[in-house]
Structures are given as structure tokens and as C-alpha cells.
Amino acid sequence: MSNYIHVPPGSPEVPKLDITVSEREGPGYRQGALQLLRRLRPHWRPEEVTLQLFTDGITNKLIGCYVGDITDDVVLVRIYGNKTELLVDRDEEVKSFRVLQAHGCAPQLYCTFNNGLCYEFMQGEALDPEHVCNPDIFRLIARQLAKIHTIHAHNGWIPKSNLWLKMGKYFSLIPTEFTDEEVNKRFLSDIPSPQVLQEEMAWMKERLSNLGSPVVLCHNDLLCKNIIYNKKRG
């Protein structure tokens, strides 16, 4: 999807706070998280705030902040992973988040900060591969994705795919070797060479570009753990 994402009129503004949250566990990220909560939840007493680290993220660190027992009011603090800005356009990510929120497809986005963002906690279970084999669950996922794919977020523009541009950017970040000898050995033996991968991408581009498939708003990171299932609400 080319970066013509247009946030619907009337969507709530998302404040950007000049706060940096340390990635270090314990006092490191607690101090930064409490700074954010002073703005987002000023009635919370800092000494009563519990921080829970969620470890399922691959590129980001996710921390749940709450007072007392886990209730409906949990603020999630997502700290961006080191150098992930090379892969992810963070401004476009926030705009996409706001578009999805406006259509009821994403939690409320509370704020952004220098190295992350804060948003609403969705009650439910992060899925595993066995969950998505369940017809009752994968049909719910399909319906939600279909809803996302029908969102028109381009203010009259005809969207164009940025798939090949993004793939090219990924290729520019591919390492040629690793300093660790064992890692480098596995890298050279198990991973296809850049030339082979480039040839595969050229093959895909030639065939996929001629399908006439519409370009729609996509999730683009559909890992099981990025899907939350609330069994009570279905």
C-alpha cells in the first residue's frame, strides 16, 4: 500500500509526548512508563502501579501497566525495537492505527512517545497455531480481515502497492556475513544467497503484477500472537 493513508475527519488527535522509555528491565523502563502514566492516568498513584512485561513480541517490547488487579483499564506501553525504524515507517504506522481505530478494528491509541506508543489493552487470549485451526476462530479472523480490506483510507486516491519497494528496502538491509563464526556458518549454509532470493522476487513480481488483484488496506504482520480472541464476546 503506497503511503496515501488518510485519517478520517473527526478522528481524535494523538498526542506526542517528549518522553523516552528505556528498554532495560526493572527501574529502567518503569521510570519512563510512570512518566507516561502521569499524563495518561494522572489519578494513579505511582507506588501502586504494577508493570507486567509481555514477552511475545518479536521486534518490540510490550509492557502492561495497571493498578490493583488486572482490570479493563490497562495501558499498554510498546517500546520500539532497536533499529526497527529501518523496516517500519512509524508515522505511517500511527496513521494506519488511527484509521483502523476509527473503523472499530483496533484499540484506542492514547499517545506516541519518542521510542514507542501507548494504547488500550484488549481483553482476550493471544492465539497459538492450534487456535487458528479451529473453524469457529478462523472464520472470525477472516471476517475481521475482510472488514479491514474494505476500508477506503485514501481520500479519493487509487492506491498502489508498495510491495516491491518495501521488498527492495528489505534486500538493502540483508547482511553479507556475521562476526560470530558459528552463526555465519549457519547463515551461509541455511539461507539462500541474495542472488537466489532476488531471482525469486523477480519471478513473483512478474506473475503477481499481472493478476489484476485490487490493492487494499492490509495488516502485513499477521502472526498468531497479533490476534486476540475474546471467548466470552465471540
Side-chain angles (χ1 to χ4, degrees):
M1 179 78 68
S2 284
N3 54 348
Y4 304 136
I5 295 291
H6 176 77
V7 178
S11 295
E13 291 297 322
V14 178
K16 180 173 176 59
L17 306 182
D18 186 17
I19 294 171
T20 300
V21 181
S22 170
E23 292 185 47
R24 298 195 309 273
E25 294 190 26
Y29 60 64
R30 183 177 178 85
Q31 182 179 3
L34 290 177
Q35 282 185 277
L36 293 169
L37 293 173
R38 286 190 196 103
R39 299 286 294 274
L40 300 174
R41 297 291 186 275
H43 57 285
W44 285 5
R45 297 175 62 179
E47 64 273 16
E48 296 178 354
V49 173
T50 297
L51 270 59
Q52 180 178 341
L53 178 64
F54 295 88
T55 57
D56 290 325
I58 294 174
T59 56
N60 306 304
K61 179 167 286 187
L62 192 61
I63 303 163
C65 308
Y66 56 94
V67 170
D69 297 328
I70 290 187
T71 65
D72 288 338
D73 192 12
V74 179
V75 175
L76 290 179
V77 177
R78 182 204 290 179
I79 306 171
Y80 297 144
N82 186 34
K83 295 186 178 180
T84 52
E85 70 279 359
L86 297 175
L87 300 174
V88 180
D89 184 323
R90 295 301 181 185
D91 290 335
E92 287 300 305
E93 179 184 44
V94 169
K95 284 163 63 175
S96 297
F97 205 126
R98 293 176 66 193
V99 166
L100 292 172
Q101 179 184 321
H103 288 83
C105 296
Q108 182 180 352
L109 182 59
Y110 296 134
C111 75
T112 66
F113 53 95
N114 294 337
N115 61 326
L117 47 81
C118 295
Y119 55 99
E120 176 188 13
F121 175 77
M122 305 297 286
Q123 295 287 345
E125 183 178 5
L127 298 189
D128 287 320
E130 54 267 26
H131 289 116
V132 296
C133 294
N134 181 329
D136 293 334
I137 295 178
F138 71 59
R139 287 190 177 98
L140 290 174
I141 297 169
R143 289 192 194 104
Q144 189 72 357
L145 287 175
K147 183 178 179 181
I148 291 172
H149 292 167
T150 59
I151 294 173
H152 297 285
H154 294 80
N155 198 29
W157 288 86
I158 298 175
K160 297 180 180 180
S161 173
N162 68 349
L163 174 62
W164 312 116
L165 182 66
K166 181 68 73 173
M167 291 284 282
K169 185 175 182 180
Y170 286 168
F171 268 107
S172 71
L173 300 172
I174 290 176
T176 55
E177 61 180 352
F178 291 88
T179 53
D180 185 296
E181 186 175 336
E182 190 60 35
V183 171
N184 197 56
K185 183 179 178 181
R186 289 207 315 273
F187 172 65
L188 295 175
S189 62
D190 297 346
I191 307 299
S193 70
Q195 181 181 352
V196 169
L197 295 174
Q198 288 277 15
E199 290 172 355
E200 287 186 6
M201 189 171 77
W203 181 89
M204 290 171 60
K205 183 176 181 180
E206 179 184 354
R207 281 152 182 79
L208 295 178
S209 298
N210 295 321
L211 290 179
S213 178
V215 177
V216 298
L217 193 69
C218 291
H219 186 283
N220 290 333
D221 193 19
L222 205 62
L223 304 172
C224 288
K225 293 299 182 184
N226 283 340
I227 305 171
I228 306 299
Y229 174 53
N230 187 314
K231 187 174 182 179
K232 290 183 179 179
R233 295 174 57 189

